[in-house]
Amino acid sequence: MSTQGYEEEVRSERSYVAGLYARLDAERARVKGEYNAALRGNGGTAMERDDEVRALAKEAKRLDVADNGLCFGRLDTLSGEHSYIGRIGLFDEEDEYEPVLLDWRAPASRAFYVATAANPENMRRRRQFHTRGRQVVDFTDEVLGRPRGGEQGDAALLAAVNAPRGDGMRDIVATIQAEQDEIIRLDHPGVLVIEGGPGTGKTVVALHRVAYLLYTQRERMERHGVLVVGPNPAFLNHIGRVLPSLGESDVVFMTTGDFVPGLRVTAEDTPEAARLKGSLKILDVLAAAIADRQRLPEHPLFLELAGLAVRIDAETAEWAREEARASGQPHNEARAVFREIVTYVLTERAIARIGRNWLTRSDRETWERLRADLVKELAGDDGFTAALDELWPVLTPEDVLATLYSSPERLRAAGADQALFRADGDAWTVSDAPLLDELVDLLGRDEAVDRTAERQRKAEAEYAAGVLDGLVGRQDSMDDEDHLFATDLLYAEDLADRFVERDTRELVERAAADRNWTYRHVVVDEAQELSEMDWRVLMRRCPGRSFTVVGDLAQRRSAAGATSWAAMLEPYVPGRWVYRSLTVNYRTPAEVMAVAAALLAEFAPEVQPPESVRACGVRPWSRRVTEDELPAAVDEFVRDEAGREGTSVVIGPPGVPGAVAASETKGLEFDAVLVVEPERILADGPRGAAELYVALTRATQRLGVLHRGPLPRALTGLVETGTPTRAGTRRSG
């Protein structure tokens, strides 16, 4: 294309994209007007108005996020037609709703990501726009259908991966590669496992898959939402912008420690304790711990009933316990059975003594009337309630677990390993969350709490009825001087609407606070770290078993984590899970990956490292320092990076000032990484090797290593220097 022809094309594309923004602005104004009208109320019930307001608010958000990079490309067919590709779809209302911009998730957009020179998908050209704000700056064209090498969209892809990192993960909607697009659009109703080494984009692919599923299956998925599970809050914050940038907001983000709403994690388990808690064998321990709280009295418990002394002996309690356990109900709900049996025995014994010589069972009416009086007396007897609490107490998950952990005797009674002992029983760890969640089902509801909630509901209903009676009476008693304004009118239907028990919170807020909420789809990132108990919780959260599972077995650090995907998934979805791998490293430059690959070959030789698509030109370096020199060397790195664009991090073992643990950086990426004392990280065995592998592969541009002891053999490929060097050069420190 000549320079003049190119400039004319740029002007034409600018004009077209400007027209798209004009349509976007008009659509945004229309939605805003309808939203404001809905807020004022325009007919329908209160519930219908709430639904309308929520739907319009969601549409407004979708249009707002589309403002950034609305249109990023164009496809030209062999017949000369062309289609524009963007974040959302826009239509020409005057031309039978013809699309003027295709949503990137639409089937017609697929060729933009998968067409190659060898397989052009009936396309002649792919054009990618480079924009600044709302204006097209320039574009690059790729002519398809000619035998030529290279990946599609290399220029745009390399510009994206070489750009300095910001505060959060960016979407890749404009640069999705064919390997990634195939996974994003995969039509599989069960569990999809995406495995890939560092930098392969498995997380962002999973998030784009969520956006695609919400686009293609919105009616099925939207009412229940999507759950995304990540390894730590920093990771969730890092990825949290991707889906909103794609116009999707009905997504709940949580760690495994958030499985129990309101749980505050304050401690960390030893590897052995985490392994024990993560195994399904802990289910037997939990059941035994509950059974241990269902006690028999060592000595009879005496009560006064109708002026008589009656007792609960071991034989009575044992019969009641057997019946309660045989009911199959959770512990707290089975307490009613236990209470019923004990009540029966006590009242029978009391009636026999009261009616001695004058009352027989043939006088059924008198017998039952006397029993009713005695049952009522027992119900109000504090001593009877105390006896029940001693023998069959109402339990909470926190109470069961805290008292179990802090008591060697209870651990032995439950058949648990003493490695679970801790003096502070309610110093919760991440591994406790699935156990507490399990105990919710094993214990069941507290009938006293249910009765209180029912009383409150009835009180609110009575209040509503009283308000209505008062308003009616007020209107009937008005004299001629009173004036009834339109705002005073209140009809029964409106009043009923106001007092219907409706939850007006957004879906994300409701779902995160509700332990019993179920999702239509679940994304599990860093899934190799999840234990068997974690998976048990997640399967309860998603009855339809629709999952996108993301991980890398080579990066597993948890003693309770997965050693194979089949071991975790087959018990729940036998034959209903498929495996896909990502093999191209878009994040880690070849210089850094070479160092990480040497370490990988030592601790996981069967794993093939991903191939980097680029080199950065900067050789990773190492520098040996003394204990006294270490703080200054770390400060030097921090100062140097503060003057550069992008992000940086110091990763090291506990005790290194200013350093974070490698586990806290899982899933994150930084322009520059300084790894401190790798020899100490490696000393933690196989878990330490995985930690170091994670640390090394966080860098997108620059990697440095400070070591006090001898440099580990796997890292001898580093350039020993005081400062980073350009490839092919070496400077002494």
Side-chain angles (χ1 to χ4, degrees):
M1 187 182 299
S2 66
T3 302
Q4 181 179 353
Y6 175 79
E7 292 298 331
E8 290 177 355
E9 280 283 288
V10 169
R11 285 194 293 272
S12 174
E13 299 294 25
R14 284 175 181 164
S15 175
Y16 189 88
V17 173
L20 293 177
Y21 274 108
R23 289 180 183 275
L24 177 67
D25 290 339
E27 182 70 3
R28 198 150 42 191
R30 179 189 67 79
V31 171
K32 184 177 180 180
E34 292 182 2
Y35 176 77
N36 290 334
L39 285 177
R40 291 191 297 269
N42 51 4
T45 66
M47 188 176 295
E48 290 170 340
R49 291 193 295 272
D50 282 352
D51 289 343
E52 183 181 12
V53 168
R54 289 183 187 221
L56 289 169
K58 188 176 297 184
E59 177 65 7
K61 287 181 182 178
R62 186 182 76 91
L63 295 173
D64 284 342
V65 299
D67 200 71
N68 181 26
L70 174 63
C71 176
F72 46 76
R74 190 182 99 180
L75 274 174
D76 295 356
T77 67
L78 293 174
S79 62
E81 298 176 347
H82 49 254
S83 302
Y84 288 84
I85 315 298
R87 287 184 178 275
I88 65 171
L90 292 175
F91 302 89
D92 187 345
E93 298 179 10
E94 298 178 359
D95 189 13
E96 299 182 349
Y97 282 87
E98 278 294 308
V100 293
L101 181 67
L102 288 175
D103 191 298
W104 68 273
R105 295 165 289 193
S109 300
R110 182 174 177 272
F112 186 79
Y113 301 109
V114 301
T116 63
N119 297 290
E121 300 276 333
N122 294 319
M123 297 295 159
R124 181 174 64 85
R125 177 171 56 191
R126 174 179 30 244
R127 174 169 291 175
Q128 291 183 299
F129 297 140
H130 310 140
T131 60
R132 184 178 297 116
R134 288 186 163 205
Q135 188 176 36
V136 174
V137 177
D138 56 27
F139 62 77
T140 55
D141 279 346
E142 183 179 4
V143 178
L144 302 170
R146 297 179 181 176
R148 52 194 287 263
E151 287 279 330
Q152 66 95 351
D154 280 347
L157 172 65
L158 291 176
V161 298
N162 280 314
R165 265 48 190 174
D167 291 334
M169 179 179 283
R170 297 166 294 195
D171 65 64
I172 58 170
V173 64
T175 58
I176 294 171
Q177 301 299 290
E179 179 185 58
Q180 298 169 329
D181 187 79
E182 179 186 353
I183 293 173
I184 290 170
R185 298 175 193 266
L186 184 66
D187 183 17
H188 179 70
V191 177
L192 167 63
V193 176
I194 307 172
E195 184 164 27
T200 53
K202 51 188 178 294
T203 296
V204 76
V205 166
L207 295 175
H208 282 68
R209 175 168 168 78
V210 168
Y212 176 76
L213 292 174
L214 284 167
Y215 176 80
T216 57
Q217 304 176 30
R218 189 166 301 280
E219 186 174 344
R220 184 183 75 85
M221 296 180 65
E222 196 170 38
R223 291 182 65 85
H224 285 255
V226 173
L227 172 63
V228 176
V229 178
N232 54 58
F235 173 83
L236 295 180
N237 183 61
H238 178 66
I239 70 173
R241 302 176 187 177
V242 174
L243 284 166
S245 76
L246 299 173
E248 304 299 347
S249 57
D250 289 335
V251 180
V252 177
F253 294 87
M254 64 173 61
T255 68
T256 54
D258 300 323
F259 286 164
V260 178
L263 181 69
R264 186 166 173 263
V265 173
T266 61
E268 184 175 352
D269 280 315
T270 65
E272 178 62 10
R275 185 188 66 79
L276 292 168
K277 293 179 183 180
S279 169
L280 291 181
K281 294 178 181 178
I282 199 71
L283 293 172
D284 294 333
V285 172
L286 297 179
I290 295 173
D292 184 50
R293 304 293 290 273
Q294 300 163 356
R295 312 303 293 268
L296 303 179
E298 294 183 8
H299 306 286
L301 302 177
F302 287 93
L303 303 168
E304 185 176 302
L305 182 58
L308 300 172
V310 293
R311 72 181 189 277
I312 305 175
D313 52 30
E315 183 181 7
T316 299
E318 185 174 18
W319 177 29
R321 186 173 69 175
E322 289 175 357
E323 291 293 325
R325 289 177 175 176
S327 71
Q329 298 181 71
H331 170 86
N332 288 336
E333 296 168 33
R335 175 180 161 111
V337 178
F338 184 88
R339 179 190 188 116
E340 181 182 356
I341 298 298
V342 174
T343 299
Y344 172 80
V345 172
L346 295 183
T347 55
E348 281 288 304
R349 289 174 178 173
I351 292 171
R353 291 171 62 186
I354 293 170
R356 184 177 298 165
N357 300 324
W358 66 271
L359 180 62
T360 65
R361 288 187 180 274
S362 61
D363 190 352
R364 186 179 184 86
E365 182 177 348
T366 303
W367 193 288
E368 292 301 326
R369 185 170 62 250
L370 186 54
R371 182 196 299 280
D373 292 339
L374 294 174
V375 169
K376 185 175 181 180
E377 182 179 343
L378 275 178
D381 189 313
D382 292 340
F384 181 57
T385 301
L388 291 176
D389 290 342
E390 179 181 341
L391 301 177
W392 196 284
V394 174
L395 299 174
T396 66
E398 293 79 6
D399 175 45
V400 171
L401 216 50
T403 55
L404 175 68
Y405 291 152
S406 60
S407 169
E409 294 76 18
R410 290 195 185 278
L411 285 170
R412 280 193 293 272
D417 195 298
Q418 291 296 317
L420 296 179
F421 173 80
R422 65 183 184 220
D424 189 355
D426 55 5
W428 304 117
T429 70
V430 168
S431 301
D432 291 327
L435 277 61
L436 291 167
D437 184 82
E438 186 74 31
L439 284 166
V440 171
D441 287 342
L442 292 175
L443 295 176
R445 303 179 65 87
D446 181 349
E447 59 180 16
V449 172
D450 289 346
R451 286 196 300 270
T452 301
E454 179 63 16
R455 284 196 298 269
Q456 183 177 353
R457 188 194 66 77
K458 288 181 178 179
E460 289 175 352
E462 290 172 1
Y463 171 76
V467 170
L468 182 58
D469 290 342
L471 288 170
V472 173
R474 173 188 168 195
Q475 186 170 355
D476 290 344
S477 63
M478 281 182 178
D479 56 37
D480 293 339
E481 295 180 357
D482 286 328
H483 300 282
L484 186 64
F485 295 97
T487 53
D488 292 325
L489 291 174
L490 189 62
Y491 296 99
E493 181 182 358
D494 296 320
L495 188 66
D497 276 345
R498 293 188 185 185
F499 286 94
V500 168
E501 292 183 11
R502 289 182 290 114
D503 194 333
T504 58
R505 293 173 298 173
E506 293 295 327
L507 180 145
V508 169
E509 189 179 0
R510 285 182 286 133
D514 185 355
R515 180 262 174 187
N516 295 313
W517 191 277
T518 58
Y519 299 88
R520 286 292 183 264
H521 190 77
V522 176
V523 175
V524 187
D525 210 326
E526 299 294 341
Q528 73 277 356
E529 306 296 346
L530 269 63
S531 69
E532 292 177 317
M533 287 298 294
D534 290 327
W535 280 109
R536 187 173 169 89
V537 175
L538 287 175
M539 291 299 170
R540 278 199 292 266
R541 297 293 192 275
C542 188
R545 303 292 196 261
S546 178
F547 284 78
T548 299
V549 177
V550 181
D552 179 10
L553 295 179
Q555 295 186 56
R556 178 180 68 89
R557 64 182 292 273
S558 171
T563 55
S564 77
W565 301 119
M568 291 298 187
L569 298 175
E570 277 294 323
Y572 300 103
V573 285
R576 281 194 58 215
W577 65 281
V578 297
Y579 176 90
R580 295 290 185 273
S581 63
L582 291 168
T583 60
V584 179
N585 190 331
Y586 301 100
R587 178 182 70 211
T588 317
E591 296 90 341
V592 174
M593 198 61 220
V595 176
L599 174 64
L600 182 68
E602 285 204 355
F603 79 92
E606 72 284 357
V607 178
Q608 182 70 26
E611 182 179 354
S612 297
V613 299
R614 66 187 178 96
C616 66
V618 179
R619 293 279 298 276
W621 55 272
S622 66
R623 176 180 167 189
R624 188 165 187 173
V625 295
T626 65
E627 183 176 359
D628 293 337
E629 293 171 335
L630 180 60
V634 172
D635 289 343
E636 180 185 354
F637 168 83
V638 173
R639 284 196 308 271
D640 288 346
E641 290 301 328
R644 298 174 183 263
E645 187 179 5
T647 60
S648 62
V649 69
V650 179
I651 302 175
V656 175
V660 301
S663 58
E664 296 179 30
T665 66
K666 297 205 75 169
L668 307 183
E669 55 186 33
F670 305 88
D671 291 272
V673 172
L674 179 67
V675 178
V676 181
E677 298 192 84
E679 64 275 22
R680 284 181 56 197
I681 299 176
L682 270 179
D684 203 9
R687 168 175 160 167
E691 288 268 281
L692 183 56
Y693 183 63
V694 169
L696 296 173
T697 54
R698 299 307 96 194
T700 66
Q701 300 290 345
R702 300 175 295 281
L703 172 67
V705 173
L706 295 177
H707 58 105
R708 289 198 297 143
L711 192 67
R713 183 182 60 181
L715 303 184
T716 53
L718 294 168
V719 176
E720 183 70 24
T721 180
T723 58
T725 65
R726 302 296 298 178
T729 68
R730 181 185 179 99
R731 286 185 11 215
S732 298

